[in-house]
Amino acid sequence: GIPSGAHSHGEHEEEHDEEHDEEHDEEEHEGEEEGDVSIDMEQTRWDAALHLHQPFAGADVFRGFLTYTDYEHDEIEGDGEVGTEYSNETWETRLELLHDELLGFHGVIGLQALSGEFSALGEESFIPETDSTELGLFLVEDYHVGDWTFELGARFDRDERDPDAASAGKETFSSFSASGSALWQLTDEWGLGAALSRSERAPTIEELYSNVEAESPDELVVHAATNAIEVGDSDLDTEVSNNLDLSLNWQRGLHFAELTVFYNDFDDYINLFNTGVEVEEVPVLTYTQDDAEFWGIEVDSEFALGSAGGGEFRLGLFGDYIRGELDNGDDIPRLPPTRLGLRFMWTGDRFDVWTRVIDADDQDRPGANEEPTEGYTRWDLGAEYRFGLGESDLRLFAEFNNITDEEIRLSTSFLRDVAPEAGRSIGVG
């Protein structure tokens, strides 16, 4: 539930991928709801990996990864015409060296490099063709002494964005991130953790160059995936966050409970802000920077209730809460509401049955020029069966989701007024 940039650099990249997937989900929703836009997507990916064990004195493992990805999708209008052709071709390599114990430290030093070419072609294209190169150097170390575990990490990144646009030039960003954490095993059952980090992130292509070539409101192009006009800013600077996480863990046999509180203090937080202005009834959103603060709490737990029928009954409780404010006092837009959940399951050697309920509160702090969303209660039910198939395992499952057919509109979605979440549905696999 933490927004982009509130984690370390690597975690932010994973979040960006998740947001990318969610964007396509929203495109598909829009096509189903209005019949206006659908997508035709194709991705080809090749991976190569190399592991060398004890390649030389002092080195435990050397690992190398090389990935080539050719991604493209067409946004197809209701009349069958292709509105925009998106493509993103990237080469990425990652080299890691795990060293032997040195002065009590265990860790890895590595290099990550990426070269990519992004293009969006067609009458509805709103981002210029852009070449990107990224180079990162990182170090992660851990040290164990008694009941304490310490971890240290550092990363330096050099990112370059080179758009094919007369109105915007090449931009280069240097960013440095560092983190430190300590875990104290108080007793056999209780553990206490603390983590401090400073994370820096370069702006993305979308944040820098969306609609950057438009010289008048008439030339602004709608982003079909969000049903909004998004306007970037090529003068955006590196986003910086200082983060504190405190955690308390308890485990006794099959019982466990985890409590985490976090605080993130941002300088130049990059935010997609709803201006309140509309062009031909389409909202205009701009990428802006402002200082911001986030804080929240996350809880997860599971308890064994007893045995019956050759299996174990378990009860889990979980939930999260997050608040975020800009420096001017406005709420951060599109944050999730407070959520509480319960899961009850019976699990055996081969067969599991479970049910889950999630209750989400109203989101009445939607942010400037955003509409609030109503809360919801969602019930799910599922079963799973596992059995051996030669030397492999086969898992059969069935899920009955949103049993009560609740109308769910996510506060995190740009299309919440157009495309609710799926109603009552069944999935098997």
Side-chain angles (χ1 to χ4, degrees), residues 55-363:
F56 53 85
D60 185 25
V61 178
F62 172 80
R63 299 190 294 234
F65 305 91
L66 179 65
T67 299
Y68 169 76
T69 304
D70 184 9
Y71 170 89
E72 60 184 36
H73 82 255
D74 297 340
E75 290 187 353
I76 302 174
E77 306 294 333
D79 57 5
E81 295 293 325
V82 176
T84 311
E85 300 176 2
Y86 290 91
S87 69
N88 194 12
E89 184 178 11
T90 61
W91 286 90
E92 183 173 6
T93 186
R94 184 181 179 99
L95 305 177
E96 299 178 351
L97 181 64
L98 283 71
H99 63 76
D100 293 334
E101 181 177 333
L102 180 63
L103 301 177
F105 285 90
H106 305 81
V108 57
I109 185 171
L111 177 147
Q112 187 172 3
L114 180 145
S115 176
E117 180 178 341
F118 171 87
S119 67
L121 306 177
E123 294 183 358
E124 298 183 3
S125 168
F126 62 97
I127 303 175
E129 293 185 55
T130 305
D131 294 332
S132 290
T133 57
E134 302 176 4
L135 179 65
L137 299 172
F138 59 90
L139 174 69
V140 180
E141 299 286 340
D142 64 76
Y143 182 82
H144 302 265
V145 54
D147 296 327
W148 290 84
T149 299
F150 299 93
E151 292 186 350
L152 300 172
R155 179 174 178 125
F156 174 79
D157 286 278
R158 183 77 168 176
D159 301 324
E160 183 179 279
R161 317 281 190 229
D162 187 7
D164 183 14
S167 56
K170 181 189 298 185
E171 300 288 344
T172 302
F173 304 92
S174 297
S175 55
F176 178 77
S177 301
S179 63
S181 66
L183 176 63
W184 182 19
Q185 195 64 39
L186 297 167
T187 67
D188 291 339
E189 297 179 351
W190 290 92
L192 183 65
L196 283 171
S197 64
R198 175 181 173 84
S199 302
E200 299 187 4
R201 180 181 74 86
T204 65
I205 294 173
E206 293 85 354
E207 293 166 345
L208 290 167
Y209 304 126
S210 293
N211 274 302
V212 73
E213 295 182 287
E215 297 181 354
S216 67
D218 294 338
E219 297 181 6
L220 293 170
V221 178
V222 178
H223 185 191
T226 59
N227 194 35
I229 296 170
E230 301 172 16
V231 181
D233 184 354
S234 58
D235 292 327
L236 291 177
D237 202 355
T238 301
E239 180 184 85
V240 182
S241 65
N242 297 297
N243 315 299
L244 171 64
D245 293 75
L246 300 175
S247 61
L248 181 65
N249 305 284
W250 172 81
Q251 184 164 3
R252 177 187 295 171
L254 297 176
H255 312 295
F256 79 87
E258 300 175 347
L259 171 68
T260 302
V261 295
F262 61 88
Y263 174 76
N264 309 113
D265 184 16
F266 278 86
D267 292 326
D268 295 328
Y269 174 72
I270 300 176
N271 170 42
L272 187 53
F273 173 72
N274 189 337
T275 64
V277 176
E278 293 187 350
V279 175
E280 295 183 358
E281 299 184 351
V282 178
V284 177
L285 281 61
T286 62
Y287 286 102
T288 61
Q289 284 191 300
D290 196 357
D291 295 344
E293 292 181 324
F294 295 83
W295 62 93
I297 184 171
E298 299 174 351
V299 179
D300 193 15
S301 64
E302 190 168 288
F303 304 94
L305 302 181
S307 301
E312 189 84 26
F313 285 104
R314 297 183 183 179
L315 178 68
L317 303 172
F318 56 94
D320 56 67
Y321 165 83
I322 183 172
R323 278 288 310 280
E325 287 187 357
L326 296 170
D327 196 42
N328 61 8
D330 288 346
D331 293 299
I332 300 292
R334 296 176 300 279
L335 288 183
T338 301
R339 295 174 292 193
L340 292 173
L342 182 147
R343 56 180 177 266
F344 180 71
M345 68 202 78
W346 179 89
T347 178
D349 291 337
R350 294 186 177 275
F351 186 66
D352 296 344
V353 181
W354 57 267
T355 185
R356 175 181 60 214
V357 59
I358 299 176
D359 184 76
D361 199 2
D362 298 341
Q363 179 51 282

